[in-house]
Amino acid sequence: MVCSALRRVARMRVYLVRKASSVSRGHQHQALGSRPAVSEFTVRGAPGGLVELLGKSYPLDDYSNLSRKVLSRVGRNLHNKQHHPLWLIKERVKEHFYKQYVGRFGTPLFSVYDDLSPVVTTWQNFDSLLIPADHPSRKKGDNYYLNRTHMLRAHTSAHQWDLLHAGLDAFLVVGDVYRRDQIDSQHYPVFHQLEAVRLFSKHELFAGIKDGESLQLFEQSSRSTHKQETHTMEAMKLVEFNLKQTLTRLVTHLFGDAGAQDKIGWAFGLGLERLAMILYDIPDIRLFWSEDERFLKQFCLSDINQKVKFQPLSKYPAVINDISFWLPSENYTENDFYDLVRTIGGDLVEKVDLIDKFEHPKTHKTSHCYRITYRHMERTLCQKEVRHIHQAVQEAAVQLLAVEGRF
């Protein structure tokens, strides 16, 4: 069964992906810990191939590196799912900003955008933020690309340029972001960010400051099409103070006492999962994708500010298997292996640790040994069940990553 599935992977170089908006309908949604087929490992580029996502089609090319595991998460929008712990965090932050920061006419100063498409251009994700073309943050090994011009956003900052150039001075952006990363209880290829941006005009920043009318935002220096002049020390200190005050108030509210033209300002981003894990004592990031009522019902609160501590589900035993292989001479990245393991093993994979590196003294080939911890969040796994998954990981690594197995 594993071999036949792998043969299908080798043959299939182009996939037509279901609309992510349809994934959430009925039984098509994968349950926590379900195992994707090996043939669903990745969407690979070929001339004429298309990937369809959120109602739009994108041509595939040599940069396409989306896994079906990740694509199945697009459109889930956990931060907009009422009574989900991420929704609770978002609503608490919104409530705080609405109450603390009010405009001239009594309306909220900050507008909120929580349904912007996660598909952005590479220009939005990098160039609009002045990230150089050769910057390592653009690497395929760290991002999910639809093709060379479109990707799943790596941060909510991808929307800053558009919103600022729409004339907005104060806004929150909330959404799912996508990054290829290691596998453990703190990392997942999809997580959720909340970003705040605030700009100040000269009048707004220096209002109430003694002799403020004589102060300036910028030094007498040159301005380019991409960068403002150097900020004055007075302006920088006031913006720094305002940002610190904003964050201090927000943290106190949550945890208790423990393209700007002629304006300058601040921006910050927060990971909703990290906040929720601390605030609600949630130990594993995979739980946020659980549809187990024992998890979800704990956050059905009548008041979003109500204190709640997650009551753990039964702790089921782990099943541990090792895998070792010789690396190919080039084009191997650890994130490719992590993506493969996560796609095949799904949320059964609790963590993957690189436990040994070895360089052969004669051939100078490098060997990696990884320890994969499998644990179901809702039932006990048996070694027989895990063995099939682990064998699929071994064979997929050989065929898709060109490693030489030592198993």
Side-chain angles (χ1 to χ4, degrees), residues 320-375:
I320 296 173
N321 284 263
D322 293 348
I323 177 173
S324 60
F325 44 76
W326 298 105
L327 304 187
S329 57
E330 57 184 12
N331 297 328
Y332 175 83
T333 66
E334 287 187 33
N335 280 345
D336 285 337
F337 178 66
Y338 295 147
D339 227 28
L340 181 147
V341 173
R342 201 188 292 275
T343 299
I344 295 176
D347 287 344
L348 294 181
V349 180
E350 180 174 273
K351 63 178 179 176
V352 178
D353 297 312
L354 176 59
I355 61 173
D356 186 55
K357 288 183 179 180
F358 169 72
E359 182 175 325
H360 196 283
K362 294 183 178 180
T363 65
H364 299 292
K365 294 173 64 176
T366 300
S367 171
H368 279 189
C369 181
Y370 296 90
R371 178 155 293 163
I372 304 178
T373 301
Y374 300 89
R375 191 196 309 269

Side-chain angles (χ1 to χ4, degrees), residues 85-97:
L86 299 183
W87 175 85
L88 290 174
I89 296 291
K90 182 196 74 172
E91 291 300 310
R92 292 185 65 180
V93 174
K94 280 174 54 179
E95 179 188 64
H96 171 74
F97 273 86

Side-chain angles (χ1 to χ4, degrees), residues 284-321:
D284 194 306
I285 198 169
R286 292 176 297 164
L287 280 165
F288 292 108
W289 298 92
S290 174
E291 295 187 341
D292 190 326
E293 285 300 314
R294 294 175 298 169
F295 173 75
L296 296 173
K297 70 181 181 182
Q298 297 186 40
F299 302 96
C300 289
L301 310 177
S302 57
D303 179 0
I304 60 173
N305 294 304
Q306 180 180 335
K307 291 187 177 181
V308 58
K309 295 295 182 184
F310 170 64
Q311 299 301 313
L313 312 179
S314 299
K315 186 71 170 180
Y316 295 100
V319 178
I320 296 173
N321 284 263

